[in-house]
Amino acid sequence: MTTTHTTAPEAPRANTTDQPYSLIGIPPHIGRALATAGGALAVVSTFLAWTWTAEFPGDLTVYGYPGGLQVLVLVGGALTTLFGLASYGVKGLRWLTPAGADSALKLAALGTFATAWYTIIAISVTLGGLVNLEPGGYVVAAAGLAAALGALSLPYQRPAPDPADPDDTGWEKFRHDTRTALGVFKAGFATGTPTPARKLPAYAEILVIVAALAIGLIVFTYGIGTEYDELFIGFLITTGFGFGALAKAGLVQRLTAITAEHRNVTLVGAFVAAAAFPFTQSDDQYASIGVYILIFATVALGLNIVVGLAGLLDLGYVAFLGVGAYAAAMVSGSPLSPFDIHLPFWASALVGAAVAMVFGVIIGAPTLRLRGDYLAIVTLGFGEIFRIAVLNMDGTSGPDLTNGSQGIPSIPNLSILGFDFGEEHSIAGFTIGRFANYFLLMLLITLVVVIVFRRSSDSRIGRAWIAIREDETAALAMGINGFRVKLIAFALGATLAGLAGTVQAHVTYTVTPEQYQFAHAVPPNSAFLLAAVVLGGMGTISGPLVGAALLYLIPEKLQFLGEFQLFAFGVALVLLMRFRPEGLIPNRRRQLEFHEEKAEAPTVLSKAGA
């Protein structure tokens, strides 16, 4: 008789790679409580005095009235508190975290800690030690530390290793189950699980868009109007972590979906919000920064057609801006212009745009048969050839057209239908100065460029550009005339840059060759333009606009760093490209290309929220 021995099946071992873990060993539920309490305590601390003397900028000596950097800590603490309460499922706050609360709470708490401790360190360094702190300073330091400890204790999710055979049906089932689990509502908000998105009525979605645009206007106005260096650095810290927290919570993704359904409303609302900016300023100081940002952003959007849609790497694009500026300067009545012509603005704008388009065709026709790095080298050479050519057209080395290094100065202010852009005007009880006038004019031109970009990208030629960008060989095999399509992109991008150049010539009064180098200390230049497109998000409308605004505003505000300005700026760009290579406002296709190895898109669902 044979005895058969049976053994109990081995209990399955836990897959440790799928288990959440904490960096510092504190249980997650305690971490959430610490982060939430730290955020709330930070809010309370802003109503206390942080130092005894008003020598530190912002006057942090007042009880009951936050000022300066206290306002930023107040915003960060409030955001941390709201995300913390949402993680506990507080009724009415669940909509804040459609993609999970843990990662959003983590970033908000770390942002509060960074802003609070930066302020404490700045006070100590400026005034000479911690002895200059009042009780509110110690309270905010403790609150920031508690928030940071709570953030570091929130669970992380280790990514599972790739199986040996990724085509195995079991692996496919695992991916499907994971995606389903991440997207479905689960009970227990304390674990930071995502919530399902509910369809809002149309009027409610429009109100959401209006609120988002109003918040954007407030943030931009506050950032551009920061009065001292410490406040601007704190603003960068708070907005950076705050935007990251909103993205991790899924609010940015949800807002993107809403604006996609109401594109016309979003476009009109953004235009109205931007037009309201000059009326929020008491003088013309920051309106000048605004008009230069719009010029920079408009040119970046034109470059986005060439780089973002058609995939053509153009390193000499700023030359087209210079072509438009020089052409407009020559026909706008400057006393040093070689032509005794004074055309109205609409005519000079058409001349600048047309000449830039002609140059785009002339340069593109023989070079667009090249690809990749070869095309980039040729366009870089064109940019330098333009600068050297206008530098030598001084009547000595060449024909007398551009006055050489002196450029064309004394360009008169614009006058349209009797409205002189160089004088102050009173509109609805508000007095707007010269730069505010040009800001509104440049805003109209930006609107035209946005409409052209949008219509072009949605058209048949736009789809051909995208096909060329994705795979030129396959596009040619499908019957697309690659050379003609790329030449149209090149010419259209040059036209838009030339149009912006016509306004730049009148705003700056003078056009000189040094303004149009590949790399220059002050944007716009080809390097900054390309960085704005990549930083903001290639192939999108809002991406280059946001990227250009940041790339102009940050160097403008970091001048106190002196020779270390470009170093700090470069470090910031490296960090951004490391953690968000697809850009701040990415195209959906590019976002998936950069994160195709993950089961979920990074802006929708986060690992910590899993």
Side-chain angles (χ1 to χ4, degrees):
M1 181 176 180
T2 304
T3 305
T4 303
H5 298 280
T6 61
T7 58
E10 183 180 357
R13 288 179 294 179
N15 182 6
T16 58
T17 61
D18 292 335
Q19 299 300 318
Y21 69 98
S22 169
L23 287 178
I24 57 178
I26 299 178
H29 65 281
I30 297 180
R32 293 187 187 94
L34 268 177
T36 306
L41 188 59
V43 171
V44 173
S45 71
T46 61
F47 293 90
L48 305 175
W50 289 8
T51 182
W52 62 274
T53 174
E55 292 183 8
F56 186 81
D59 192 6
L60 309 184
T61 64
V62 181
Y63 282 85
Y65 188 82
L69 286 162
Q70 289 176 323
V71 176
L72 300 176
V73 175
L74 173 63
V75 173
L79 201 59
T80 302
T81 305
L82 289 175
F83 282 134
L85 295 176
S87 69
Y88 284 100
V90 175
K91 188 175 181 180
L93 294 178
R94 297 177 179 178
W95 59 271
L96 279 174
T97 55
D102 276 353
S103 3
L105 177 59
K106 186 191 306 294
L107 284 179
L110 290 177
T112 302
F113 164 77
T115 308
W117 277 75
Y118 163 73
T119 306
I120 297 302
I121 294 173
I123 292 175
S124 302
V125 172
T126 302
L127 301 181
L130 295 174
V131 68
N132 294 282
L133 294 179
E134 285 289 293
Y138 295 104
V139 172
V140 76
L145 185 60
L149 290 175
L152 296 177
S153 68
L154 294 178
Y156 287 80
Q157 193 80 11
R158 290 190 179 97
D162 293 335
D165 183 9
D167 295 327
D168 182 69
T169 56
W171 168 243
E172 293 298 327
K173 183 177 185 300
F174 167 76
R175 288 172 58 106
H176 178 269
D177 292 343
T178 302
R179 290 177 178 178
T180 303
L182 289 172
V184 177
F185 169 80
K186 294 180 181 179
F189 281 85
T191 60
T193 52
T195 62
R198 292 185 298 175
K199 178 65 177 177
L200 296 175
Y203 72 89
E205 292 182 339
I206 293 176
L207 290 177
V208 169
I209 294 173
V210 172
L213 292 174
I215 293 174
L217 176 62
I218 293 173
V219 172
F220 177 77
T221 302
Y222 185 89
I224 203 173
T226 49
E227 299 176 352
Y228 48 94
D229 304 331
E230 294 87 351
L231 183 61
F232 183 72
I233 294 178
F235 169 77
L236 290 181
I237 295 174
T238 302
T239 52
F241 278 98
F243 179 81
L246 295 176
K248 287 294 185 180
L251 291 178
V252 174
Q253 176 70 13
R254 183 168 290 184
L255 179 62
T256 302
I258 292 176
T259 55
E261 294 183 7
H262 304 277
R263 299 176 65 181
N264 292 329
V265 173
T266 303
L267 182 61
V268 174
F271 176 77
V272 172
F277 168 71
F279 300 97
T280 65
Q281 306 299 305
S282 58
D283 54 42
D284 222 25
Q285 176 184 0
Y286 299 118
S288 63
I289 300 178
V291 69
Y292 286 120
I293 286 176
L294 280 182
I295 293 174
F296 189 16
T298 302
V299 181
L301 196 57
L303 179 61
N304 196 27
I305 293 178
V306 180
V307 177
L309 293 182
L312 306 174
L313 185 55
D314 188 350
L315 297 182
Y317 187 76
V318 75
F320 298 120
L321 177 69
V323 169
Y326 267 97
M330 291 179 181
V331 298
S332 294
S334 171
L336 294 181
S337 171
F339 308 109
D340 187 16
I341 302 175
H342 190 179
L343 298 179
F345 171 69
W346 64 267
S348 63
L350 290 179
V351 169
V355 173
M357 181 185 67
V358 171
F359 270 82
V361 173
I362 292 175
I363 299 302
T367 61
L368 286 178
R369 299 186 188 279
L370 300 174
R371 297 186 185 182
D373 298 338
Y374 300 100
L375 178 62
I377 293 172
V378 171
T379 55
L380 176 61
F382 163 67
E384 287 302 298
I385 289 172
F386 167 77
R387 183 182 64 84
I388 295 173
V390 297
L391 186 63
N392 290 324
M393 291 181 182
D394 56 357
T396 301
S397 302
D400 187 9
L401 289 177
T402 64
N403 295 320
S405 60
Q406 295 182 358
I408 302 179
S410 303
I411 301 173
N413 284 305
L414 290 177
S415 180
I416 301 177
L417 299 177
F419 185 90
D420 191 341
F421 283 77
E423 298 180 355
E424 290 187 351
H425 297 276
S426 181
I427 300 178
F430 294 91
T431 300
I432 58 176
R434 176 178 183 271
F435 287 108
N437 295 331
Y438 280 108
F439 178 89
L440 296 176
L441 174 63
M442 196 61 219
L443 187 60
L444 287 174
I445 294 178
T446 304
L447 179 63
V448 171
V449 174
V450 168
I451 293 175
V452 170
F453 182 92
R454 175 181 167 184
R455 295 296 185 184
S456 300
S457 61
D458 292 340
S459 66
R460 180 179 179 183
I461 192 69
R463 293 193 295 271
W465 287 336
I466 295 174
I468 290 290
R469 181 194 69 192
E470 296 299 322
D471 193 328
E472 184 172 353
T473 303
L476 296 177
M478 295 300 294
I480 295 177
N481 188 332
F483 173 75
R484 182 177 67 86
V485 167
K486 291 191 291 185
L487 187 60
I488 292 175
F490 217 71
L492 181 58
T495 303
L496 298 180
L499 182 62
T502 61
V503 179
Q504 185 203 30
H506 291 85
V507 173
T508 59
Y509 286 124
T510 303
V511 289
T512 58
E514 289 75 17
Q515 295 174 319
Y516 309 107
Q517 300 181 26
F518 169 74
H520 190 259
V522 179
N525 56 63
S526 292
F528 272 70
L529 287 171
L530 185 60
V533 175
V534 176
L535 170 69
M538 292 194 295
T540 63
I541 294 177
S542 53
L545 299 179
V546 174
L550 290 177
L551 288 184
Y552 191 92
L553 183 61
I554 292 177
E556 182 74 19
K557 291 290 187 176
L558 292 183
Q559 292 182 1
F560 68 94
L561 293 177
E563 58 184 7
F564 296 101
Q565 175 184 347
L566 289 180
F567 173 76
F569 184 63
V571 170
L573 288 181
V574 169
L575 292 176
L576 185 61
M577 290 295 99
R578 165 60 183 86
F579 294 104
R580 200 171 179 85
E582 66 273 21
L584 293 175
I585 307 178
N587 177 274
R588 180 65 174 169
R589 182 192 300 272
R590 289 185 57 80
Q591 187 180 33
L592 293 177
E593 287 175 356
F594 277 105
H595 302 276
E596 61 183 359
E597 75 280 1
K598 297 180 181 180
E600 70 280 349
T603 58
V604 181
L605 299 174
S606 62
K607 292 177 180 179

